[in-house]
Amino acid sequence: MLILPAIDIIDGKPVRLYKGDYSKKEIVAKDVLETAKHFEEIGADWIHLVDLDGAKEKEPKNMKLILKIAKEIKTPIEIGGGMRNLETIKKYIEGGVKRVILGTAAIEDEKLLRESIKLYGNKIAVGIDCKDEYICGDGWLYKSKIHYIEFAKKLEKLGVKNIIVTDISKDGTLEGPNIDMLKKLKGEVSIDITASGGIKDINDIKKLKELNIYGAITGKAIYKKTLDLEESLKVSKD
């Protein structure tokens, strides 16, 4: 299982939200690039970046910074937030980003999703962000009537190879990931699943590893020091 430390970005600063609430943002480090370099030094498998401004405004807002990170570190990075057209996706991938995550666009624009997969294959992932098991979009500001398992099955048929699954009610809470939700999904699709939201400590990493999923994204636990990144990387490989 891969471990992906997360850096969420608002106004060029590394932040964390609580249950996706923009009014409850907390700046967690001084500098995004320095934080990414720190994760690289520890040995992170990937670094997970989210342009929260982009997710909210429906267009990239921190692209310059993200492309600088892609240029200055060797650790592969993935980016989500504000992916609404092929031009944006192309700029990121040609700029060195290894994987682009479609969120709301994957819900609302199937044509874009199909074209992206055709052009970039496994460099395209889809974020499945849910509340009460139903998909949310626009930086988690609205809830759809699409069930997360139904959506995952559709994505698999379309050729998506990697999904990032977030239970919004767990995100930023340190209450533990939604293991039951992930188990149900694992039983329905064979696509690579990356779990996000709620990870508190090494026991949560062990529980996710037992599920035999592709990856685990952790943010707040690292910043609050309830989880040691180096230890989690070791456990994930044992």
Side-chain angles (χ1 to χ4, degrees), residues 75-90:
T75 303
I77 67 171
E78 61 181 25
I79 174 66
M83 307 296 168
R84 300 307 178 94
N85 55 62
L86 275 175
E87 182 184 0
T88 298
I89 295 166
K90 181 181 178 182

Side-chain angles (χ1 to χ4, degrees), residues 44-229:
D45 299 308
W46 281 70
I47 296 173
H48 174 81
L49 300 169
V50 181
D51 180 353
L52 287 175
D53 297 309
K56 191 174 183 180
E57 300 297 330
K58 307 181 184 182
E59 61 181 2
K61 292 293 183 180
N62 292 280
M63 181 183 279
K64 186 177 179 181
L65 172 59
I66 291 155
L67 292 179
K68 184 177 182 182
I69 294 167
K71 186 177 180 180
E72 294 200 21
I73 69 171
K74 293 179 181 178
T75 303
I77 67 171
E78 61 181 25
I79 174 66
M83 307 296 168
R84 300 307 178 94
N85 55 62
L86 275 175
E87 182 184 0
T88 298
I89 295 166
K90 181 181 178 182
K91 282 180 181 177
Y92 275 125
I93 291 175
E94 290 186 354
V97 171
K98 298 301 182 186
R99 189 155 56 216
V100 168
I101 305 160
L102 300 184
T104 306
I107 305 168
E108 298 178 349
D109 192 344
E110 188 175 312
K111 182 183 177 185
L112 175 62
L113 178 59
R114 287 178 181 274
E115 288 176 346
S116 301
I117 295 166
K118 185 178 179 180
L119 286 170
Y120 301 112
N122 61 9
K123 290 187 176 183
I124 301 298
V126 173
I128 296 184
D129 303 327
C130 347
K131 190 177 286 184
D132 304 321
E133 298 195 349
Y134 286 85
I135 303 298
C136 294
D138 285 349
W140 302 351
L141 297 175
Y142 81 86
K143 185 164 78 171
S144 75
K145 295 181 180 179
I146 306 167
H147 193 267
Y148 79 103
I149 290 177
E150 171 196 342
F151 189 49
K153 286 180 175 179
K154 178 183 176 180
L155 295 175
E156 187 168 39
K157 286 180 182 177
L158 289 172
V160 174
K161 302 298 183 187
N162 185 296
I163 51 176
I164 292 114
V165 182
T166 305
D167 179 350
I168 296 168
S169 69
K170 294 283 190 178
D171 190 72
T173 65
L174 301 179
E175 293 175 354
N178 191 330
I179 298 292
D180 289 341
M181 188 176 90
L182 293 164
K183 274 185 182 176
K184 287 178 190 175
L185 184 58
K186 191 83 166 58
E188 297 285 347
V189 296
S190 57
I191 199 167
D192 284 343
I193 299 170
T194 299
S196 174
I199 291 172
K200 178 183 179 182
D201 54 30
I202 200 67
N203 290 323
D204 289 332
I205 298 296
K206 290 175 181 177
K207 288 176 187 175
L208 290 170
K209 188 171 185 289
E210 286 173 8
L211 288 180
N212 193 31
I213 61 173
Y214 171 82
I217 293 169
T218 175
K220 191 170 186 177
I222 295 172
Y223 299 113
K224 292 293 186 182
K225 302 188 186 304
T226 61
L227 176 70
D228 182 85
L229 178 56

